[in-house]
Amino acid sequence: MVSNELQAALDAAEAAADVIRAHYGRGIGVHVKSDNSPVTEADMLAEKVIRETLSARFPTFGFYGEESGRHHMDAEAVWIVDPIDGTKCFVRDTPFFSTQIALWRGGRAVLGVSSAPVYGELAWAEEGAGAFMNGRPIRVSAITELSAATVSFGNVKAIARSEAWAGMRELFERAYSTRGYGDFVHYHLLARGALDAVIESDLSIYDMAALAVIVREAGGAFTDLEGGALSLDTHTVLASNGSPLHGELRELIGRQCR
């Protein structure tokens, strides 16, 4: 059984998936936003249908969407939405993009849906109820040593410009394997036990909030690079299968990253 809130998020993700499938691979126009990131008609339409679906069920909740911005952020709960996380992949006909929907309440994300309609994965979680992918329960790995761990990296521009890069170099040397899956892909792999940690910078809360709930409910840990809890202003991620690996990774890079 899922809550009414989670069901609304799942239904909104499916509505967005219909929009996304209709536009994918059609060579639609791309506009560049002020932050130099791309946006398409599919992004706008997907966010519109998500907001309509969620607002119809929970009209008093706030809404924070990548394309439409912040609305009623002082509400008891706020939906946090990225209609197409990975638009750069979407416009190049590469299926590594997803719809991210989270519910933020009491200073934390309490449910999350990560829908990758072309890739073929749908993950969801609600606080205290476990994590699922394509209808099946998922769980993080049991790897405890960095020397046996696979670590994936996404956006790391801010880390590369900081003193923390020295710690990253040591991590590259000590990890069993390093990869760069990026976007939703490495978080889904982490949550189902196929890799052991993810490190990223240069993100926004709508890129990570839903995935944080999924990883946590799968038994993992999800913090910023300094080990702090997520906030609406968080821009970095250290996600892992939990202790003791999380602490070891944090010691290597977190203290120096600002």
Side-chain angles (χ1 to χ4, degrees), residues 208-223:
M208 66 181 86
L211 294 161
V213 184
I214 293 165
V215 170
R216 291 199 314 257
E217 285 299 309
F222 202 109
T223 68

Side-chain angles (χ1 to χ4, degrees), residues 28-44 66-67 82-92:
I28 61 176
V30 181
H31 301 282
V32 179
K33 296 187 287 189
S34 59
D35 64 357
N36 206 36
S37 64
V39 63
T40 71
E41 181 183 17
D43 293 83
M44 305 300 292
E66 180 180 11
E67 309 309 337
D82 190 341
I84 302 180
D85 180 38
T87 302
K88 291 177 182 178
C89 290
F90 177 81
V91 299
R92 299 193 68 174

Side-chain angles (χ1 to χ4, degrees), residues 18-19 29 31 49 68 71 76 85 103 112 126 140 152-155 173 191 194 206 212 215 248:
D18 290 340
V19 172
H31 301 282
V49 73
S68 62
H71 307 269
E76 177 265 332
D85 180 38
L103 185 64
E126 191 165 20
V140 296
S152 183
F153 301 89
N155 299 313
E173 294 173 357
Y206 42 71
V215 170
E248 185 176 0

Side-chain angles (χ1 to χ4, degrees), residues 151-172 186-187 198-203 223-226 235-239 249-250 252-258:
V151 182
S152 183
F153 301 89
N155 299 313
V156 292
K157 287 184 178 180
I159 300 173
R161 293 191 297 263
S162 75
E163 295 179 356
W165 193 244
M168 293 284 281
R169 287 196 297 268
E170 183 178 350
L171 191 158
F172 293 148
H186 49 194
Y187 297 103
V198 174
I199 294 170
E200 286 201 80
S201 63
D202 308 279
L203 299 178
T223 68
D224 66 17
L225 283 177
E226 297 179 30
H235 297 291
T236 65
V237 169
L238 172 58
L249 291 168
R250 190 176 69 241
L252 277 176
I253 61 172
R255 290 182 177 178
Q256 300 179 72
C257 189
R258 296 292 185 266

Side-chain angles (χ1 to χ4, degrees), residues 229-242:
L230 300 192
S231 74
L232 294 177
D233 298 315
T234 296
H235 297 291
T236 65
V237 169
L238 172 58
S240 76
N241 62 0

Side-chain angles (χ1 to χ4, degrees), residues 57-122:
R57 312 244 189 122
F58 298 96
T60 64
F61 286 8
F63 188 88
Y64 180 13
E66 180 180 11
E67 309 309 337
S68 62
R70 302 186 181 201
H71 307 269
H72 308 296
M73 296 299 289
D74 57 348
E76 177 265 332
V78 177
W79 296 109
I80 299 180
V81 171
D82 190 341
I84 302 180
D85 180 38
T87 302
K88 291 177 182 178
C89 290
F90 177 81
V91 299
R92 299 193 68 174
D93 298 340
T94 305
F96 305 136
F97 58 85
S98 64
T99 295
Q100 299 292 315
I101 302 175
L103 185 64
W104 191 269
R105 177 185 283 123
R108 61 190 279 118
V110 297
L111 70 79
V113 172
S114 176
S115 169
V118 177
Y119 191 79
E121 287 187 355
L122 173 65

